[in-house]
Amino acid sequence: MNGKDREDQLRQSWTENAPAWVASVRTGAIASRGAGTDAAVVDAVLSRAPRRVLDVGCGEGWLARRLAESGVAVVGVDGSEPLIASAREAGGGEFHLLSYEEITSDPSRAGGGYDVVVLNFALLHREIEPLLRALSGALAPSGALVIQTLHPWSGRGEQEYRDGWREESFAALGEGYARAMPWYFRTLESWVAELGASGYRLVELREPRNPATGDPLSLLLIAAREQM
Ligand SMILES: C[S@@+](CC[C@H](N)C(=O)[O-])C[C@H]1O[C@@H](n2cnc3c(N)ncnc32)[C@H](O)[C@@H]1O
């Protein structure tokens, strides 16, 4: 499979797997989320005391609902029609069907003046620099980009510590997943380099740990727009 086919399958998987994904998120079936990654991203976003947040790749909208409980106004965007429909149904924010490709080709579609732009496990494709650059225009001057992603040291699995395409079967999440998802693995060095190349300055790097094992659950990057 070439890169374009992988990107197509990645996007398509979020339409075909949407019902199973909504069930996994809403029943707490993703153990790492309950063990700390949900709390970690909420904490990272709220640490910026935001009034307005843009949740990019918002999925079924749990983060918007959680932030709304803290009085934050959230706009969620995602390229999966069924996930946006689930998010709208559950409420807690304003949700729009909008793909990364649409944001990249017309950054104004992401809006502007956000205190935080957050991507929670939502950067799965290879060329992330154009999207991150486009999103920098959606931030208020003192705003922050918050990215939570798989920790590269645990996310590498049995494979080499090197950037490259991997595949998620969702087997650990049980029944109902119709399609595997290609995703692009990045080393820690690559994550930090991508931020710099996209016009950001790393402000903080966090490694939420699993309290039971002490192992890192995820990698959290908080970045600011480089001054022009
Ligand atoms: C692992 S889910 C995370 C969803 C949500 N952020 C959460 O924490 O539950 C990845 C999300 O990224 C979205 N996504 C992936 N590629 C996309 C693209 N090219 N355009 C828009 N959304 C995309 C998917 O539709 C999916 O909702």
Side-chain angles (χ1 to χ4, degrees):
M1 215 191 300
N2 63 31
K4 160 118 185 24
D5 290 344
R6 286 192 173 98
E7 305 268 354
D8 288 346
Q9 186 171 332
L10 194 177
R11 275 191 302 274
Q12 190 57 24
S13 71
W14 290 104
T15 298
E16 292 185 24
N17 293 333
W21 177 255
V22 173
S24 295
V25 173
R26 294 186 182 172
T27 60
I30 309 171
S32 54
R33 294 192 162 207
T37 66
D38 281 1
V41 72
V42 169
D43 185 61
V45 171
L46 293 182
S47 74
R48 307 290 306 187
R51 284 186 304 129
R52 295 183 66 234
V53 169
L54 177 65
D55 182 5
V56 178
C58 63
E60 56 68 61
W62 77 270
L63 181 55
R65 295 193 293 280
R66 174 63 190 80
L67 292 171
E69 287 168 13
S70 300
V72 182
V74 185
V75 174
V77 297
D78 199 284
S80 163
E81 202 166 348
L83 289 179
I84 284 293
S86 294
R88 283 182 182 147
E89 211 176 294
E94 190 187 306
F95 299 100
H96 302 289
L97 181 64
L98 188 64
S99 73
Y100 300 167
E101 295 70 21
E102 289 169 319
I103 295 173
T104 301
S105 60
D106 179 2
S108 70
R109 295 193 65 178
Y114 291 100
D115 304 305
V116 172
V117 171
V118 59
L119 294 115
N120 192 50
F121 298 110
L123 278 176
L124 300 160
H125 59 297
R126 181 175 181 165
E127 302 289 338
I128 59 174
E129 185 187 325
L131 176 65
L132 294 180
R133 267 193 188 284
L135 290 174
S136 71
L139 280 174
S142 61
L145 176 76
V146 173
I147 295 173
Q148 180 163 233
T149 186
L150 280 186
H151 196 287
W153 300 334
S154 41
R156 70 183 282 201
E158 299 295 307
Q159 300 193 47
E160 251 184 306
Y161 193 65
R162 177 195 287 217
D163 292 7
W165 283 100
R166 306 281 165 89
E167 191 166 272
E168 171 61 60
S169 68
F170 299 101
L173 296 185
E175 303 288 305
Y177 284 88
R179 197 182 260 259
M181 176 194 68
W183 63 281
Y184 197 77
F185 174 86
R186 257 173 263 279
T187 63
L188 180 59
E189 182 177 315
S190 294
W191 274 112
V192 174
E194 289 283 359
L195 286 178
S198 309
Y200 294 87
R201 175 174 50 82
L202 183 63
V203 172
E204 208 180 323
L205 184 157
R206 298 184 184 178
E207 294 176 297
R209 311 274 178 92
N210 185 329
T213 64
D215 289 335
L217 285 166
S218 69
L219 173 67
L220 247 161
L221 303 165
I222 305 178
R225 252 180 4 179
E226 211 51 275
Q227 296 308 321
M228 304 287 169

